[in-house]
Amino acid sequence: MRTVLVTGTGGAGRTTVAAATALAAAREGQRTLLLTADSDGTPEALLGIGAPRAVPGRPADRLPWSVPVEPAPGLWAARIVTDEWFRGELTALQDRGHGLFDLLGATPLDGEELTALPGVEAIALLRALRAAQTAPPGTGWDVLVVDMPPAPDTVALLALPEQLRRYLRRLLPAERQAARALRPMLAQLAGVPMPAQKLYETAERWERELAAVQGVIESEATTVRLVVEPGPLADRALRTARAGLALHGCRVEAVIANRLLPTGTSDPWLAALSGQQQDALKELHEQWAPAVPVRELPHLGRDPHGLGDPRPAEPHAVEPYSGEPHPVEPHPGDGVRRAPAGLADLAGAVGAPGARPDRPAPDPWTVEDRLAEDGVLLWRLPLPGADRDGLSLVRRGDELIVTVAPFHRVLPLPSALRRCTVSGAGLRDGWLQVRFTPDPDLWPKRL
């Protein structure tokens, strides 16, 4: 299944682009599911559907989204229901750990009094990614489009499974779990019950689920679409997002330049705004193209409401914005000409994700042998968008902690580099190159 994560700068129209992407995929005959965590009713207005309904069934058995609605042939839309999912998960956790709670004298919480805590939205969204991948054969989708939070939150969210797995390995190392076999004897020696087997099983289940979600994020079939309304501030935010996504190995499929104003206007105020956009748009093309396509969407004059499907013969329904004034239609009553404002007007320009990503996997993180020439091994990490001021490295045992602006990642060192010391690093043309010098005390010696 193709998975397309739509994120971008704040207020750039992520939800609109996500809905247009899903509609474009459905029009190509692909069964498409659009998932959104937006709770303000914007997705429903865009698609012309009613409020979502909760999935029936016991809380612990429910999917983390509402009942999917089919607003167009081949397109289903659902909202991630964080509160209902959180109540079901916490209730199930209480049931598994009732022995420990009894030991501590704790009073279990009732489902009716549970309220989702801050940060649970991220966990629910990751769980939804996993659930969509495990649909029974014949009932799943070909394409999953997810309306993600703004880019900084999305990068942090995509890094979460790997981080949580690392925490679990540190807190519950696999070698210590062998002591579970001694639990009955330890309980007799201590005179108190030891933690229930179900708690260990819960930790193992979390590890499996986190590994599966991380597999979805790192899959070749998962890509990111970045949405931006071109401008000086947005360009800087997009650079930071690009570096963060690269740090975690996420592949950007396309950059969507949204809400472009028409050029060639005689209005000086509008001409100034349009000129500023065009300057920023030129920067986008220089930074991303041709490796990553930059797709241009016109400003429709107002927010789209409903599918608003125009007649197929009208070229402005599918023709991408190309720098010329966008074709418009007269709006009755005020004499002002406006572009059609339906979601279908944008679907053609956004384009549908193909059966496979339309760009190759990101450049691999490679170790280059320069022992003969320079006496070092070179670890090359692609970090486009990063700058020296926001970059730092810390060696910790067999790990390298890389920080790029507000994002950081703990990278286990390849085996050859664990026997080396860090002798320097440099950032050039979007590549972080870390130099490692073999440690004479650890490096194998020739006989």
Side-chain angles (χ1 to χ4, degrees), residues 177-264:
Q177 294 190 27
R180 286 180 294 173
L182 304 177
R183 187 171 58 86
M185 182 180 67
L186 293 175
Q188 293 179 0
L189 293 175
V192 295
M194 300 300 289
Q197 177 77 11
K198 290 185 177 181
L199 289 182
Y200 293 105
E201 295 173 353
T202 298
E204 292 177 351
R205 182 173 66 90
W206 285 351
E207 163 65 24
R208 290 194 301 271
E209 288 294 325
L210 289 169
V213 174
Q214 186 176 346
V216 174
I217 294 171
E218 296 176 350
S219 168
E220 292 185 359
T222 299
T223 54
V224 177
R225 289 190 173 191
L226 283 173
V227 185
V228 60
E229 186 172 345
L233 297 179
D235 177 69
R236 181 175 181 179
L238 205 63
R239 286 173 180 264
T240 302
R242 183 183 191 183
L245 291 169
L247 177 64
H248 294 284
C250 299
R251 294 173 300 144
V252 178
E253 170 190 316
V255 175
I256 312 297
N258 194 23
R259 298 177 183 151
L260 293 176
L261 299 170
T263 59

Side-chain angles (χ1 to χ4, degrees), residues 68-307:
V69 178
E70 188 177 8
L75 171 62
W76 285 264
R79 181 189 294 171
I80 298 172
V81 284
T82 302
D83 287 344
E84 291 85 345
W85 175 82
F86 175 76
R87 283 194 288 267
E89 287 291 304
L90 194 54
T91 300
L93 178 61
Q94 287 186 147
D95 293 341
R96 294 189 189 97
H98 67 86
L100 178 60
F101 292 132
D102 291 343
L103 173 64
L104 298 175
T107 302
L109 298 169
D110 295 328
E112 293 77 9
E113 62 180 311
L114 296 176
T115 303
L117 302 175
V120 174
E121 294 86 354
I123 304 296
L125 196 154
L126 291 174
R127 182 67 184 90
L129 285 178
R130 169 63 176 157
Q133 303 283 336
T134 57
T139 62
W141 293 273
D142 303 315
V143 177
L144 171 66
V145 180
V146 186
D147 175 23
M148 301 290 288
D153 297 332
T154 290
V155 175
L157 187 151
L158 297 178
L160 191 57
E162 182 181 65
Q163 293 173 346
L164 292 180
R165 292 183 69 196
R166 182 173 178 272
Y167 297 160
L168 280 176
R169 288 193 296 268
R170 293 288 297 273
L171 297 174
L172 294 173
E175 57 272 15
R176 292 188 181 181
Q177 294 190 27
R180 286 180 294 173
L182 304 177
R183 187 171 58 86
M185 182 180 67
L186 293 175
Q188 293 179 0
L189 293 175
V192 295
M194 300 300 289
Q197 177 77 11
K198 290 185 177 181
L199 289 182
Y200 293 105
E201 295 173 353
T202 298
E204 292 177 351
R205 182 173 66 90
W206 285 351
E207 163 65 24
R208 290 194 301 271
E209 288 294 325
L210 289 169
V213 174
Q214 186 176 346
V216 174
I217 294 171
E218 296 176 350
S219 168
E220 292 185 359
T222 299
T223 54
V224 177
R225 289 190 173 191
L226 283 173
V227 185
V228 60
E229 186 172 345
L233 297 179
D235 177 69
R236 181 175 181 179
L238 205 63
R239 286 173 180 264
T240 302
R242 183 183 191 183
L245 291 169
L247 177 64
H248 294 284
C250 299
R251 294 173 300 144
V252 178
E253 170 190 316
V255 175
I256 312 297
N258 194 23
R259 298 177 183 151
L260 293 176
L261 299 170
T263 59
T265 177
S266 59
D267 186 320
W269 182 81
L270 184 59
L273 291 178
S274 176
Q276 179 176 276
Q277 278 193 340
Q278 292 299 316
D279 291 340
L281 185 61
K282 181 181 178 181
E283 290 288 331
L284 284 179
H285 280 280
E286 291 176 351
Q287 293 169 19
W288 294 87
V292 178
V294 178
R295 297 175 180 168
E296 304 172 7
L297 299 183
H299 200 302
L300 296 180
R302 62 180 176 87
D303 293 336
H305 292 282
L307 297 181

Side-chain angles (χ1 to χ4, degrees), residues 21-62:
T21 299
L23 179 59
R27 286 181 162 186
E28 291 196 352
Q30 302 180 84
R31 290 171 54 86
T32 305
L33 174 64
L34 170 65
L35 281 182
T36 178
D38 198 325
S39 59
D40 63 0
T42 300
E44 289 79 18
L46 287 170
L47 298 170
I49 58 179
R53 296 183 295 110
V55 176
R58 296 187 303 114
D61 298 332
R62 291 176 182 167

